[in-house]
Amino acid sequence: MTTSVSEVGNSDSPTTTSTTSATTTAATAATRPTTIPINVPVVGSTGEAHTPSPNGNHRSTIVIESQPKRRVSIVSEEPVLGYDNPAFDQNHARKISQSSAHSPLEIGPPGRRRSILKDTLAHDNESDRVSTHSYENYRQSALDVLNAKYNSLQGVQESQDSNANYVEQSWIYNFCLKCRGDEPSESWEPPFWQKVFPFPLCPTFRTFSRLVALTAIGALLWIVSFVIIGNSAAPGGQLFNLVVLTVAANFGGYLMSLTTLPRLIGMLLVGLLFQTVGWVNLDGDFSIVTAHLRKFALTVILTRAGLEMEPEAFKKVYKTILKLGIVPWTVEFGVMAVMSHYLLGLPWIWGCLLGSIMAAIAPAVVVPCLFRLRTKGYGVAKGIPTLVVAVSGVDDAISVAIFGIISTIMFSDKGQLYLISQVPVCIIGGLGFGIIWGLLARIFPEKGDAYVVPLRTMLLFVGNLVAIYGSDKLGYEGAGPLAVVFSSFISNYFWCKDGWTIDDNPVATGFEIFWMIFEPILFGLTGATIKIREIDSSLIYTGALCIFTGVIIRILVTAGIAFGDRLNVKEKFFVGLSWMAKATVQAALGPVALRHLGPNASDDERKWAKIVQTICIFSIILTAPLGAILISVTGTRMLTKTKQPQILTGWRRSHRPSIRDISIIDEEEEREDPEIPKDKETQDNTKSNVQIPSYSYTYNK
């Protein structure tokens, strides 16, 4: 009897692991493979190996075939689940700081620091474990009950279709399933919860309890505010209307996020709705409160812009970042100033004020869209997402600084020497304050302090507020924004040298929480400042022409000056497209000019200020959703999708549970990056492997 086991090429067949007492004889021929007989021990019933007798009863041969066999290198790494790039795996553990005592959590957003406020060891008692139900068992039984009830109501006989899952096939079930985010751990639920509120048609008990807690906190805070403040906090008062507007704007942002569009669009539309139906009135003395809220929101925006910049990447390609940040910004600024002067009838100084606002980029729109592309590998090899985010921060700093300088010149009655000193003082003073405050943030508090995270967060936030308000008080309004961005960048630079990373920076996470609070306030207020009935229809068409002309010229200029940056033509145009969205800076600075006007301002000045405000808000409505869609759709066609492993650093995103993380782009087959050179060692191994024959083993008994 003869038994054969063969291995040819890259076959997955098992190989023989041990042979003993091998005696070989070779017989070579040109037309047949070479055979080598081997003695193979026979294992008896007792499991002991018996040496074959010398009479040749047991004989094995090895057949050597002259076929090429590739040598495969084996790397001792963790298995990759579903992706060629381990960094793109959607299910790998969160990155935990080395000082953290928690164990890794296998579910959650990639590369993010797990909150120390989350108790993952909760519900350790036996009764809680009994009441914890899984999706497959308890929730499935609840769905079966619903299906049975539906069948009985529709008169469907069980014998005809006993397995009809009408509930799970309905559109409302799939819609609700997409609205439910993944929970980081199993949720405790009362035994009756799934019977009364089945998942996903109804929220989980954890979501319901969270809403109850937030509602109770809000109600108690309102009672305290009513006792302290009085009628302004009562229903119908301005403070009460502001709170209602903020809550409604947050809900409108959530609804807009279901379409994968930016949340701020929904918040802005809610503000417009409240102003149109007359549910909000924030004029009069309360406008002082809204002005301070805008400054707080602007401080958070600029701080996050500084924390988003990766110090190492900035050091390597700072020339490219400055070139792509300053030149396209200057071109759009000039185009907007000229067109607003000739088409909108604004004076040159008002046109420059509008141009400084309109040239800013919206990281709130760009970052989530680029994150979806980056997780799929698009543009990672050349660092395009990091480049776009870094330039966005530079553009925002320039826009706010130039706006401060121009507004100071416009609304100041001081002498010529004071006006001439605006530019050098703002630049030198802003950068100097940023360096000093960044150095202090490294030393104080000490990096080993148990409360280093909250202390650094509050110290940076308070220092940046002092920079904004202090520069405004001193009359050099343009110095504050530069100081905020630069102090955040310098602080982040030293914190990274001490062991933190861009994607594991708890201070940046704290400012994400601040932005969650101020985002609905800012965009809700911005939408509520527009009175649609008072807008001239001709202003809409002319304003749209000015906006899109500036955007198109900026895209062409960006593609034209991006030479020597290792980008092909498609990638250059994509970078220009990603900078077309307007949102945060326009919402924060659009109404400022109208607020600067005193009671003695002329009617023409008020008209010009309203034009500036209207164009800024109109630009958000037009460019924010269009920019988000274009980034998502064109990214798969203009960027190269790499399969090589990359280290995802220098990236942050808000991880509020939302369906916006579901991409609207089309999935494509993975393709090799044609611009990445092949590894020389791999090529040498491939050439040498041709000379290595493959083996076929034959066992004869």
Side-chain angles (χ1 to χ4, degrees):
M1 184 180 68
T2 303
T3 303
S4 64
V5 179
S6 63
E7 179 187 357
V8 180
N10 293 328
S11 174
D12 294 331
S13 302
T15 58
T16 305
T17 58
S18 62
T19 56
T20 59
S21 306
T23 59
T24 61
T25 59
T28 59
T31 59
R32 63 176 182 175
T34 304
T35 61
I36 304 176
I38 320 175
N39 292 330
V40 180
V42 180
V43 181
S45 60
T46 60
E48 298 179 356
H50 301 279
T51 305
S53 57
N55 55 8
N57 292 333
H58 303 283
R59 182 172 56 88
S60 297
T61 61
I62 298 178
V63 180
I64 303 178
E65 300 176 353
S66 299
Q67 296 182 2
K69 178 182 177 182
R70 177 178 294 275
R71 184 170 58 196
V72 181
S73 61
I74 301 176
V75 183
S76 178
E77 293 180 350
E78 295 181 358
V80 179
L81 301 178
Y83 294 89
D84 291 319
N85 189 344
F88 302 154
D89 196 325
Q90 301 293 326
N91 225 9
H92 62 274
R94 291 176 184 238
K95 182 174 182 180
I96 308 298
S97 175
Q98 293 180 355
S99 60
S100 175
H102 299 285
S103 60
L105 187 62
E106 295 296 334
I107 300 177
R112 298 308 305 265
R113 182 185 180 92
R114 186 177 59 177
S115 173
I116 61 175
L117 301 179
K118 188 175 295 183
D119 185 9
T120 58
L121 301 179
H123 315 304
D124 281 342
N125 57 64
E126 186 65 26
S127 61
D128 288 349
R129 285 197 296 267
V130 172
S131 300
T132 301
H133 307 286
S134 62
Y135 293 125
E136 294 78 8
N137 298 327
Y138 191 65
R139 288 175 176 172
Q140 186 61 39
S141 64
L143 289 175
D144 293 340
V145 173
L146 284 178
N147 286 322
K149 291 181 179 180
Y150 182 87
N151 293 341
S152 62
L153 291 175
Q154 297 296 325
V156 180
Q157 297 182 0
E158 185 176 359
S159 59
Q160 294 178 352
D161 190 4
S162 59
N163 295 325
N165 296 325
Y166 293 97
V167 176
E168 297 184 27
Q169 296 174 1
S170 63
W171 68 269
I172 189 171
Y173 175 87
N174 293 299
F175 178 78
C176 294
L177 186 62
K178 291 182 179 180
C179 295
R180 308 300 177 203
D182 294 334
E183 297 289 347
S185 61
E186 289 188 346
S187 171
W188 179 88
E189 295 175 347
F192 63 86
W193 187 262
Q194 286 299 324
K195 297 180 181 179
V196 182
F197 307 103
F199 180 90
L201 302 180
C202 298
T204 62
F205 181 75
R206 175 178 293 171
T207 303
F208 173 76
S209 61
R210 184 186 301 129
L211 293 176
V212 170
L214 292 175
T215 304
I217 293 172
L220 295 175
L221 287 176
W222 174 77
I223 294 174
V224 174
S225 302
F226 177 73
V227 172
I228 297 175
I229 300 175
N231 294 332
S232 181
Q238 290 182 314
L239 180 60
F240 184 84
N241 291 340
L242 176 62
V243 174
V244 174
L245 174 63
T246 303
V247 175
N250 199 9
F251 181 71
Y254 167 74
L255 293 180
M256 185 60 64
S257 68
L258 298 179
T259 64
T260 69
L261 292 177
R263 295 168 55 96
L264 56 91
I265 300 299
M267 298 174 184
L268 192 68
L269 294 178
V270 168
L272 286 171
L273 176 64
F274 271 55
Q275 181 60 251
T276 303
V277 300
W279 289 350
V280 62
N281 181 18
L282 303 176
D283 297 331
D285 295 337
F286 200 75
S287 60
I288 300 176
V289 177
T290 60
H292 288 298
L293 290 175
R294 291 181 188 278
K295 284 191 175 182
F296 273 68
L298 182 62
T299 304
V300 175
I301 293 170
L302 296 177
T303 303
R304 294 190 67 198
L307 293 175
E308 294 284 352
M309 298 182 188
E310 185 180 0
E312 294 299 327
F314 196 89
K315 288 168 57 178
K316 294 178 181 178
V317 293
Y318 70 94
K319 293 182 180 179
T320 299
I321 293 175
L322 294 178
K323 178 181 66 176
L324 295 179
I326 296 176
V327 176
W329 183 94
T330 305
V331 171
E332 187 174 5
F333 167 81
V335 170
M336 199 66 196
V338 172
M339 296 195 67
S340 62
H341 175 71
Y342 289 105
L343 297 181
L344 300 177
L346 295 179
W348 283 109
I349 188 67
W350 283 89
C352 293
L353 184 73
L354 178 59
S356 64
I357 303 174
M358 294 299 300
I361 303 171
V365 178
V366 175
V367 170
C369 299
L370 286 178
F371 176 82
R372 290 194 289 266
L373 292 174
R374 185 172 186 174
T375 54
K376 300 178 186 302
Y378 291 101
V380 176
K382 297 183 179 179
I384 293 177
T386 303
L387 173 66
V388 172
V389 173
V391 173
S392 300
V394 173
D395 265 30
D396 288 351
I398 296 175
S399 293
V400 181
I402 299 299
F403 173 84
I405 294 173
I406 295 175
S407 62
T408 302
I409 296 175
M410 288 175 58
F411 303 109
S412 176
D413 54 357
K414 297 183 180 180
Q416 292 293 328
L417 183 61
Y418 167 77
L419 299 179
I420 295 174
S421 66
Q422 280 290 318
V423 175
V425 171
C426 288
I427 294 177
I428 297 175
L431 297 180
F433 180 87
I435 293 175
I436 295 174
W437 199 252
L439 291 172
L440 291 176
R442 180 192 185 183
I443 302 173
F444 307 104
E446 193 270 331
K447 62 180 181 180
D449 196 322
Y451 301 98
V452 63
V453 174
L455 288 177
R456 283 180 174 178
T457 303
M458 295 308 301
L459 188 65
L460 185 61
F461 186 43
V462 173
N464 290 344
L465 284 176
V466 169
I468 293 291
Y469 280 94
S471 62
D472 192 8
K473 188 68 174 179
L474 295 175
Y476 294 93
E477 193 174 347
L482 287 178
V484 171
V485 175
F486 211 64
S487 65
S488 303
F489 175 75
I490 295 297
S491 301
N492 192 35
Y493 171 74
F494 287 117
W495 294 340
C496 289
K497 292 183 65 176
D498 290 339
W500 286 5
T501 59
I502 297 295
D503 59 345
D504 189 16
N505 189 341
V507 173
T509 304
F511 278 94
E512 285 184 2
I513 298 174
F514 290 157
W515 181 239
M516 290 171 60
I517 298 173
F518 285 102
E519 184 183 17
I521 296 176
L522 175 62
F523 288 100
L525 288 174
T526 303
T529 57
I530 292 297
K531 299 178 181 179
I532 300 178
R533 298 170 184 172
E534 301 179 1
I535 298 178
D536 187 3
S537 59
S538 61
L539 178 61
I540 297 178
Y541 300 112
T542 308
L545 178 62
C546 296
I547 293 170
F548 284 113
T549 302
V551 167
I552 293 173
I553 293 178
R554 176 172 185 152
I555 293 173
L556 296 177
V557 171
T558 302
I561 68 170
F563 53 85
D565 298 327
R566 300 186 303 109
L567 302 178
N568 57 37
V569 176
K570 292 183 178 180
E571 292 168 343
K572 292 177 183 178
F573 277 99
F574 174 81
V575 170
L577 284 173
S578 63
W579 290 332
M580 69 170 294
K582 318 292 181 185
T584 49
V585 174
Q586 289 74 20
L589 300 182
V592 172
L594 187 61
R595 181 178 60 84
H596 276 314
L597 295 177
N600 299 326
S602 63
D603 293 338
D604 288 337
E605 289 177 335
R606 295 189 181 277
K607 176 185 176 182
W608 298 332
K610 289 183 179 179
I611 290 177
V612 171
Q613 176 180 277
T614 303
I615 296 299
C616 289
I617 298 176
F618 196 45
S619 69
I620 301 174
I621 299 175
L622 288 179
T623 61
L626 181 61
I629 293 173
L630 288 179
I631 292 174
S632 300
V633 173
T634 61
T636 58
R637 293 166 175 80
M638 293 185 173
L639 299 181
T640 302
K641 185 174 183 179
T642 180
K643 296 172 62 176
Q644 293 190 0
Q646 301 289 335
I647 300 176
L648 292 182
T649 59
W651 193 259
R652 298 194 58 81
R653 72 180 183 101
S654 176
H655 53 274
R656 286 172 283 182
S658 170
I659 199 174
R660 67 178 181 174
D661 292 336
I662 299 177
S663 177
I664 63 177
I665 63 178
D666 296 331
E667 297 291 342
E668 294 182 352
E669 295 294 332
E670 290 187 352
R671 53 191 175 91
E672 298 286 352
D673 190 346
E675 298 187 12
I676 298 179
K678 295 183 178 180
D679 183 65
K680 185 177 183 301
E681 183 179 356
T682 302
Q683 293 179 339
D684 295 340
N685 289 340
T686 303
K687 294 179 181 179
S688 62
N689 286 334
V690 177
Q691 309 298 330
I692 301 177
S694 61
Y695 296 91
S696 177
Y697 300 93
T698 304
Y699 172 71
N700 297 328
K701 184 176 179 180

